[in-house]
Amino acid sequence: MYKIVEKKDLAPNIVSMDILAPRVANSAQPGQFVIVIVDEAGERIPLTICNYDKEKGTVNIVIQAMGSSTKKIAALNEGDYLKDFVGPLGRPSDYVNADIEEVKKQRVLFVAGGVGAAPVYPQARWFHEHGIGVDVIIGAKTKELIILEDEMREVAANVYIATDDGSYGFNGMVTGLMEELIVNQGKEYDLVVAIGPMIMMKFVCLLTKKLGIKTIVSLNPIMVDGTGMCGACRVTVGNETKFACVDGPEFDGHLVDFDEALKRLAQYREEELELAKRGEE
Ligand code: FES
């Protein structure tokens, strides 16, 4: 059993929870995820790791209450327990094990859509801890759905906000703000890391391909059980078939067949779709 030691509301239907899980906290790295099982009857829910504190032994997760299981998790309170909390799973982001001197030369832009800000945060923090300032775009439909802005400002060199309805920051999609920064203002990046809804990542990749900027995406939204068994996260990357939960979740976005992955997502029944999206809209 894994205790919820802190719970915070981040936005309507979006909560943040610190879970006491010292072994997971101790080995967690940016890019990885956990599988949460709420109770005996609960399904396996893959959730990205938002933060981890090795000293306290806690792991922070962000949950958007959409399907029945995520609603059940979000309804729990401090002092309650999760039946299972398995991880860290998935491969850490490439830069974690790369030559740090090479990583330091990269000018990096993170693009976070909706609760995609949660998995972006530990990555921006990792760069900050290694003395590298990164830029971050956080996008959401409205101002009230922008999450982790203050936390991101503490670890990023620049944070830019975009809302679809113009209620805060740039008025429009994250791709519009990227064009504003890169094309109009002349900002230069060597790497873009995009994490958010599949459709957002697809359009970020179309833009960065045009601009010639290497792009990494995290295919968390298509994971269902996170075990490598259900096949829901099967995706074509280049000419190869990959499983997001085992081979990823991060891939070269310019090689991902988004249309095929989006088609498969659409085939799932409503509840499975909610699980697959896992609150990343
Ligand atoms: Fe089921 Fe990857 S999420 S196989």
Side-chain angles (χ1 to χ4, degrees), residues 8 49 66 72 74 81 87 124 154 165 180 198 207 215 221 226 233:
K8 270 190 276 180
I49 294 171
M66 287 181 81
K72 227 184 214 179
Y81 288 83
E154 281 172 22
D165 68 351
E180 169 61 25
M198 288 294 281
L207 175 62
T215 301
C233 70

Side-chain angles (χ1 to χ4, degrees), residues 46 222-234 243-246:
I222 59 170
M223 289 198 278
V224 171
D225 68 351
T227 62
M229 315 250 287
C230 75
C233 70
R234 202 168 74 238
F243 287 79
C245 65
V246 176

